[in-house]
Amino acid sequence: QVQLVESGGGSVQAGGSLRLSCAASGRTFSSVAMGWFRQAPGKEREFVAHISWSGDSTYYADSVKGRFTISRDNAKNTVYLQMNSLKPEDTAVYYCAADQLYIPRVATMIYEYDYWGQGTQVTVSS
């Protein structure tokens, strides 16, 4: 079992920055890959970023590449999403998720993740 709690959401103007955090407890954190997803009102949940167990491999959706950075601190059992140059279309509830399947893969689909946080709201105004 892995429990995930997101924090760091809020309201910001376009061009601003936010850093989301996701604190994990339960299963050994360093053995799970992590991802961030987001869901805007009336839209399906979509992949944002993925990071491997060790943190040496990352992958991003095209819509956030070059603006967002995913990272992790295994000593603190925490994964981060640094979001820069935010746009109104980034407005959504952001979720972190854990992929417990211990194989090297880049998980971008919802069904590939086993545990989810409750989400944190990010609102970007123009």
Side-chain angles (χ1 to χ4, degrees), residues 37-73:
F37 286 73
R38 66 186 181 185
Q39 188 166 17
K43 295 188 176 182
E44 294 186 350
R45 192 171 298 189
E46 64 175 5
F47 169 78
V48 173
H50 173 273
I51 189 165
S52 62
W53 320 304
S54 64
D56 59 357
S57 175
T58 58
Y59 184 81
Y60 299 92
D62 288 343
S63 59
V64 306
K65 200 173 297 182
R67 300 187 298 122
F68 290 11
T69 302
I70 188 171
S71 62
R72 65 190 296 161
D73 185 337

Side-chain angles (χ1 to χ4, degrees), residues 31 72 77 80 110:
S31 68
R72 65 190 296 161
N77 287 1
Y80 305 97
I110 292 173

Side-chain angles (χ1 to χ4, degrees), residues 100-123:
Q100 68 173 355
L101 191 60
Y102 200 61
I103 61 172
R105 67 174 179 180
V106 176
T108 63
M109 306 300 289
I110 292 173
Y111 68 82
E112 293 178 300
Y113 289 85
D114 306 287
Y115 304 102
W116 293 82
Q118 82 290 347
T120 186
Q121 176 71 46
V122 171
T123 302

Side-chain angles (χ1 to χ4, degrees), residues 66-109:
R67 300 187 298 122
F68 290 11
T69 302
I70 188 171
S71 62
R72 65 190 296 161
D73 185 337
N74 286 345
K76 295 182 178 180
N77 287 1
T78 302
V79 63
Y80 305 97
L81 186 67
Q82 177 67 44
M83 306 185 294
N84 298 329
S85 302
L86 282 161
K87 304 175 181 179
E89 51 264 43
D90 294 318
T91 295
V93 176
Y94 283 71
Y95 300 89
C96 68
D99 170 15
Q100 68 173 355
L101 191 60
Y102 200 61
I103 61 172
R105 67 174 179 180
V106 176
T108 63
M109 306 300 289

